[in-house]
Amino acid sequence: MSGNKLLNVMLISALTVLFFGVNVEPAFGNYDPEPMKYSAYLMAYFSGEDAPDGGVWGLRYAYSKDARNWKALNNGKPVFNAKAWLRDPFIKRVKGKFHMVHTKGMEYPTIFHWESTDLINWRGGEIDVVPPSKIKTWAPEFFYVESEDLFYVYWASDYDGHHTMHFVTTKDWTDITPERSKVYYDIGIHDIDLTIVEHDGTYYGFHKPGAYEDFMGNRLSVSKSLHPDKVTFGQDGPGKVVFHDSAKGGTEGPEVIKLIGQDKWYIYGDPFEAPLEAWETTDFVKYTKIPVTTPKGAKHCSMVPITQKELEMLLAEYPNTQNTQNKLVINADDGKQKINRFIYGHFAEHLGRCIYDGIWVGEDSPIPNTRGIRNDVVKALKHIKAPIVRWPGGCFADTYHWKDGIGPRQNRPTTINKPWGGVKESNHFGTHEFMDFCEQVGCEPYFCGNVGDGTAEEFSDWVEYTTSDGDGPMANLRRKNGRDKPWKIKYWAIGNEQGGRDYALTYLRFEPYLKEYSGNKVYSVACGPVNLDYDWTELVMKMVGEHMDGLALHNYSWSGERSQSAVNFEEDDWFFLLRRSFRMEEHIEKCIGIMDKYDPEKSIELLVDEWGAWHEEVVPGRNPSDCYQQNTLRDAMVAGIHFNIFHRHLDRIHMANIAQTVNVIQAMILTEGEKMLLTPTYHVFDMYKVHQDATYLPSKLECGIYTHAAAKTYTMSEESRDRPFLEKLGPLYDIPTLTATASRDDAGKIHISICNINPNEGATVQCEIRGAQFKRVSGSILTAPKMNTHNTFENPDALKPEKFEGTKLEGDKLIIKMPSKSIVALELS
Ligand code: AHR
């Protein structure tokens, strides 16, 4: 809290009663009638003994986007008058202002009332509500009844030997006196912690009857009116048990929050010595327990919906300074390995509209093209220095007969794309067209041979056709088809995802036909464990290790535990998908572990030749077998996470190929007729291209953890794509808030790329660069207000890199201030 504010609070709290002007704004009631303008929630709480600062009672704040996953502000420390014995803070917005009431302590006949317009600056003070003989005033709250323009203020005080709910009404909080306050209702035993919510003309009162040792839990009473003559709270004795976790010994301090824009409420309860718990209801009849993450030590909370602007002001006023502990140390004097540019490789399959529409439109198309290949797509891929493209599949490769795709196009047969929807395959894009495409882009080709329904002879012929300068039948056929000189084609995969024991034998049968013609050096790839089949990896390494140059691994980041939509998702989905992406590292390490066993010299390289975020949603108006999906900031984050992982395993990883280049799965580019857009993923490839062939600089990153309530209760369905994955990788875990990587290019410039995964909070990173001097820092940033921001054909630049201004030099440290959900690329020279 600033000095001024503290003074303000202290001065005002010295007064016993404060008078405020009459409000002329329209009455709102406890819950705002325009809920859609809110987009977050604030929790006010006090803390028990296990608070981060040792448990001084005091007002603390946390915020949430879903009212379930709460993150403390100000590192969980008090935000307001820490010296006051503040317990049981209760905040609601009424008539455009926030009102807060709270107790002073356990044994005082007073409460406090404050008003604020921003939740930061408060005016108010102490109010005597009962005579000193009553001593206790516990858990005060209020409910504003709009039709009466009246606040009902209520709390628990001693009465007839037990705690009973008392109340007073007020219009403006200036006329409250001990004489005016009365017993509200009496159930004959202790009763405390009443909280009231109204729905459809009924008031629901949650409260905690019974003494501490009775463990009666929170209960519900119902009333049609709050007026003391008509209120029916207490008439059914201690009320109805709606939830009670007796295993934990009881629950008190209920709080109800209505979800923004929904007829759904969460009821929080405070088990005495355990984290807050919550139940969900849509009708105040059935209550289902839900998982929540609440700040450590939080007790007796209250909640209020807030706007994004209010949240941003609170985050600025009460930052979690632990963010400044984010530390990145880059060892610029310890760079040994090159980052192979092929890590930024691509994969283009005859699948959906990747090849046809996406790359190939034909020479007669009105879409600008060069020999049938889209100029806009070629230009975009050149710009990101696409280094290599794997083709023609994927699953398609093991059904592809290359001879169907050579010779005059009008003579080529129309076949069926068996793996991808049985659609017609014109074969107009074949070997010559693919090689033309690679030459136009300036990238290397990576062929995948058919070991599915293809023969070894067919495979052998393809190698000869494409790479031999001799006088053999295949080289002559190529010449006849217009290409005199052979191409240089180094990379050849022996099939795709064949799996099973037989693959080792298949590989051994086909691999000898991968001949080196006319000085063309070949590189053979065994492809690759499917569904994290480590037994397969073990077997293939053992049986054919000596015969391969590279082992391919495929691993997708599936979404879909809740939503399979690429665009319509919530924070749970963001968390799950990004956590899934982080687990690519475990998968790589497991594979490398097996490879190390059979190839300790590391002569066999690892190619992650299919990776990406796969949402599998059925997009209206699209053929499901086209695997077409939109691409948001979340997918961009998936790309950043993957690159940073790949860089950490350069001693094995030689290549990685995102699936896929255009219009399919995690695409770089989307096309629609003559229109083309660049996806957020494309922009990450653009921002990271500086790392291609640069020297990797080892670094150490210390940062916070990003977690989510759903992580704790995540149960996999039988059909879950994650099942084999997670079962093999072991228990679930939270993910780091940040991931980073660094390199030095040939010109000596240092490049740093950092992703802030947290969709809610910015991060300040202290960066130390050891063993290098620099004078200039420039950078770009990819971020957006929403997790699902994406580019459309109507608005193709909704998300693109912008200039980044968030760096500052402090001594020899570079301070980087990143907003939430952002990817930053810095250049130091
Ligand atoms: O990229 C789509 C498909 O995913 C590929 O064809 C196949 O190899 C993988 O299963």
Side-chain angles (χ1 to χ4, degrees):
M1 184 184 292
S2 71
N4 278 350
K5 264 179 267 158
L6 187 58
L7 188 63
N8 187 13
V9 167
M10 282 170 31
L11 275 175
I12 294 165
S13 54
L15 303 172
T16 41
V17 178
L18 265 183
F19 295 89
F20 299 107
V22 177
N23 258 310
V24 288
E25 292 143 323
F28 283 176
N30 269 14
Y31 297 107
D32 198 294
E34 295 177 80
M36 294 320 285
K37 71 182 180 191
Y38 302 124
S39 61
Y41 305 85
L42 181 77
M43 174 196 284
Y45 65 99
F46 80 100
S47 186
E49 302 312 312
D50 52 352
D53 60 352
V56 184
W57 297 350
L59 178 67
R60 296 154 205 262
Y61 283 163
Y63 71 94
S64 172
K65 285 285 188 172
D66 59 6
R68 280 174 45 199
N69 293 281
W70 296 91
K71 175 90 186 177
L73 287 166
N74 209 28
N75 289 333
K77 297 206 174 100
V79 293
F80 169 83
N81 198 6
K83 301 241 159 29
W85 278 62
L86 184 154
R87 283 177 69 94
D88 304 338
F90 178 82
I91 300 180
K92 292 287 175 227
R93 189 196 304 253
V94 175
K95 297 195 284 188
K97 271 188 195 152
F98 296 99
H99 292 255
M100 169 166 64
V101 288
H102 62 84
T103 55
K104 181 176 171 182
M106 298 286 275
E107 311 230 320
Y108 292 91
T110 58
I111 63 170
F112 277 81
H113 169 253
W114 308 90
E115 288 186 8
S116 171
T117 51
D118 57 8
L119 295 158
I120 296 166
N121 299 287
W122 292 94
R123 298 174 65 230
E126 203 168 350
I127 307 174
D128 288 326
V129 285
V130 286
S133 58
K134 293 213 168 182
I135 304 184
K136 295 183 177 72
T137 50
W138 283 6
E141 294 202 358
F142 58 82
F143 194 97
Y144 176 74
V145 178
E146 191 179 355
S147 57
E148 300 173 43
D149 185 20
L150 209 56
F151 288 89
Y152 283 72
V153 187
Y154 44 89
W155 65 91
S157 282
D158 282 354
Y159 171 72
D160 216 11
H162 53 274
H163 300 142
T164 294
M165 295 313 300
H166 288 58
F167 87 107
V168 70
T169 55
T170 183
K171 279 198 183 300
D172 57 10
W173 298 84
T174 64
D175 54 351
I176 298 173
T177 61
E179 294 72 36
R180 289 194 51 236
S181 71
K182 307 248 168 0
V183 170
Y184 200 20
Y185 63 87
D186 177 18
I187 61 171
I189 57 171
H190 284 296
D191 191 26
I192 59 170
D193 293 354
L194 175 68
T195 195
I196 299 172
V197 60
E198 187 269 346
H199 174 53
D200 274 353
T202 300
Y203 295 98
Y204 297 90
F206 295 88
H207 59 118
K208 156 66 180 21
Y212 174 87
E213 56 279 8
D214 295 337
F215 296 148
M216 289 177 71
N218 286 327
R219 302 219 169 183
L220 171 65
S221 287
V222 174
S223 182
K224 281 285 176 195
S225 168
L226 291 191
H227 193 277
D229 296 340
K230 298 183 195 146
V231 74
T232 56
F233 293 155
Q235 281 184 5
D236 50 353
K240 192 172 159 230
V241 186
V242 287
F243 39 77
H244 179 203
D245 211 339
S246 55
K248 296 234 172 74
T251 309
E252 59 181 10
E255 165 65 355
V256 187
I257 180 75
K258 183 178 191 297
L259 295 196
I260 298 163
Q262 297 182 53
D263 271 343
K264 191 190 274 182
W265 293 259
Y266 292 159
I267 296 105
Y268 274 73
D270 176 3
F272 305 126
E273 275 149 21
L276 300 178
E277 299 177 321
W279 289 259
E280 174 186 309
T281 189
T282 51
D283 53 10
F284 293 96
V285 177
K286 276 206 312 287
Y287 298 85
T288 314
K289 194 154 185 199
I290 51 165
V292 292
T293 306
T294 54
K296 194 161 189 275
K299 297 206 59 62
H300 201 147
C301 65
S302 110
M303 296 164 183
V304 65
I306 55 174
T307 62
Q308 180 62 25
K309 195 159 165 234
E310 285 164 345
L311 175 61
E312 277 161 22
M313 281 168 64
L314 289 164
L315 282 164
E317 186 71 22
Y318 306 118
N320 283 318
T321 48
Q322 70 213 27
N323 281 341
T324 54
Q325 289 161 8
N326 295 321
K327 215 173 136 191
L328 177 64
V329 178
I330 297 170
N331 296 303
D333 45 2
D334 198 21
K336 292 186 182 73
Q337 291 161 309
K338 288 269 179 203
I339 299 172
N340 197 320
R341 68 181 189 285
F342 291 149
I343 283 176
Y344 293 85
H346 298 264
F347 167 39
E349 181 169 13
H350 289 240
L351 192 181
R353 297 186 305 115
C354 181
I355 299 294
Y356 300 107
D357 291 359
I359 291 173
W360 177 259
V361 285
E363 285 153 333
D364 302 334
S365 168
I367 298 169
N369 68 82
T370 303
R371 295 180 294 282
I373 295 164
R374 288 183 80 120
N375 292 345
D376 50 0
V377 169
V378 167
K379 186 172 164 214
L381 292 174
K382 272 170 96 100
H383 178 74
I384 55 170
K385 299 194 169 143
I388 192 158
V389 178
R390 175 173 179 253
W391 175 83
C395 297
F396 181 78
D398 277 329
T399 65
Y400 181 57
H401 300 284
W402 66 271
K403 285 179 186 159
D404 293 341
I406 54 170
R409 280 192 283 276
Q410 68 276 15
N411 297 342
R412 297 185 195 176
T414 297
T415 51
I416 295 294
N417 187 330
K418 290 182 195 145
W420 299 113
V423 296
K424 285 192 176 150
E425 164 63 55
S426 69
N427 283 302
H428 284 189
F429 191 85
T431 303
H432 291 251
E433 289 78 13
F434 174 63
M435 290 309 298
D436 189 9
F437 167 70
C438 290
E439 281 166 6
Q440 290 188 35
V441 171
C443 67
E444 285 220 29
Y446 173 11
F447 276 57
C448 186
N450 181 349
V451 305
D453 65 7
T455 63
E457 184 190 13
E458 200 178 348
F459 179 70
S460 168
D461 283 352
W462 204 12
V463 179
E464 187 194 336
Y465 182 90
T466 48
T467 61
S468 166
D469 205 10
D471 193 20
M474 287 301 121
N476 286 331
L477 181 59
R478 184 194 66 235
R479 289 188 190 103
K480 189 174 148 220
N481 286 331
R483 173 80 187 195
D484 181 29
K485 285 285 151 210
W487 293 287
K488 290 278 179 226
I489 302 172
K490 178 174 173 183
Y491 293 95
W492 291 84
I494 312 286
N496 174 71
E497 289 186 1
Q498 287 288 315
R501 281 187 68 85
D502 290 353
Y503 178 73
L505 301 173
T506 307
Y507 183 95
L508 289 173
R509 194 153 55 81
F510 276 73
E511 192 272 338
Y513 298 101
L514 184 51
K515 294 235 178 298
E516 299 203 325
Y517 293 99
S518 316
N520 181 56
K521 282 265 163 244
V522 293
Y523 182 108
S524 66
V525 180
C527 171
V530 186
N531 279 342
L532 316 191
D533 188 345
Y534 299 121
D535 296 341
W536 182 96
T537 309
E538 184 102 32
L539 185 86
V540 170
M541 280 301 297
K542 196 166 158 186
M543 283 181 65
V544 297
E546 282 172 23
H547 303 267
M548 65 167 102
D549 296 301
L551 176 77
L553 168 166
H554 294 178
N555 185 42
Y556 287 93
S557 301
W558 306 100
S559 59
E561 286 311 299
R562 263 177 28 93
S563 161
Q564 284 187 304
S565 172
V567 169
N568 299 316
F569 59 84
E570 293 178 10
E571 197 181 333
D572 277 2
D573 310 299
W574 167 280
F575 177 81
F576 277 126
L577 186 72
L578 299 190
R579 184 171 69 177
R580 179 70 197 257
S581 298
F582 271 104
R583 300 198 82 160
M584 171 63 109
E585 186 145 31
E586 292 171 76
H587 188 24
I588 287 172
E589 282 170 0
K590 286 218 156 135
C591 278
I592 290 179
I594 297 168
M595 293 173 83
D596 285 349
K597 196 165 137 193
Y598 296 94
D599 173 36
E601 305 300 320
K602 297 191 186 287
S603 54
I604 302 170
E605 294 174 312
L606 185 62
L607 291 75
V608 187
D609 66 15
E610 283 186 36
W611 66 272
W614 197 338
H615 303 303
E616 285 195 308
E617 69 175 324
V618 180
V619 181
R622 306 268 177 194
N623 184 346
S625 63
D626 282 1
C627 303
Y628 176 85
Q629 60 187 46
Q630 249 295 358
N631 197 293
T632 68
L633 180 59
R634 181 175 61 157
D635 300 281
M637 210 58 90
V638 168
I641 291 168
H642 276 80
F643 290 142
N644 296 356
I645 293 172
F646 296 152
H647 288 192
R648 285 196 282 273
H649 300 281
L650 295 170
D651 56 346
R652 274 283 182 198
I653 297 186
H654 178 74
M655 187 191 298
N657 307 70
I658 191 166
Q660 299 194 2
T661 313
V662 196
N663 290 332
V664 169
I665 313 179
Q666 190 174 349
M668 306 287 104
I669 296 167
L670 300 179
T671 65
E672 195 64 79
E674 76 289 352
K675 291 189 200 150
M676 182 200 81
L677 67 79
L678 305 173
T679 65
T681 299
Y682 175 94
H683 292 307
V684 178
F685 273 71
D686 193 19
M687 291 166 79
Y688 271 71
K689 71 185 176 199
V690 289
H691 295 301
Q692 290 191 24
D693 289 336
T695 303
Y696 175 69
L697 301 179
S699 58
K700 188 161 178 263
L701 175 66
E702 282 168 29
C703 67
I705 289 294
Y706 167 48
T707 189
H708 210 56
K712 291 186 200 153
T713 54
Y714 178 74
T715 47
M716 282 176 283
S717 67
E718 277 304 317
E719 307 75 47
S720 169
R721 287 270 194 182
D722 265 349
R723 183 167 277 280
F725 184 80
L726 296 178
E727 276 174 357
K728 287 193 177 115
L729 287 182
L732 303 163
Y733 60 78
D734 302 327
I735 53 179
T737 321
L738 302 172
T739 159
T741 198
S743 69
R744 190 198 293 106
D745 66 19
D746 286 348
K749 289 179 187 154
I750 291 177
H751 297 279
I752 307 172
S753 306
I754 315 180
C755 309
N756 178 12
I757 311 298
N758 192 316
N760 306 310
E761 279 189 23
T764 302
V765 187
Q766 288 196 21
C767 182
E768 195 185 320
I769 292 132
R770 296 191 179 150
Q773 304 282 324
F774 58 93
K775 294 200 186 92
R776 277 196 61 246
V777 182
S778 59
S780 59
I781 180 167
L782 190 72
T783 189
K786 292 192 176 157
M787 292 181 286
N788 68 348
T789 304
H790 56 281
N791 296 331
T792 60
F793 294 106
E794 293 70 44
N795 187 7
D797 287 330
L799 187 52
K800 61 176 177 30
E802 307 285 348
K803 191 162 185 241
F804 181 60
E805 313 267 14
T807 55
K808 193 168 71 179
L809 265 174
E810 271 179 17
D812 58 351
K813 300 237 169 26
L814 177 67
I815 310 297
I816 307 161
K817 267 196 145 184
M818 299 177 70
S820 64
K821 46 178 161 9
S822 62
I823 300 171
V824 162
L826 298 177
E827 181 179 290
L828 279 53
S829 52

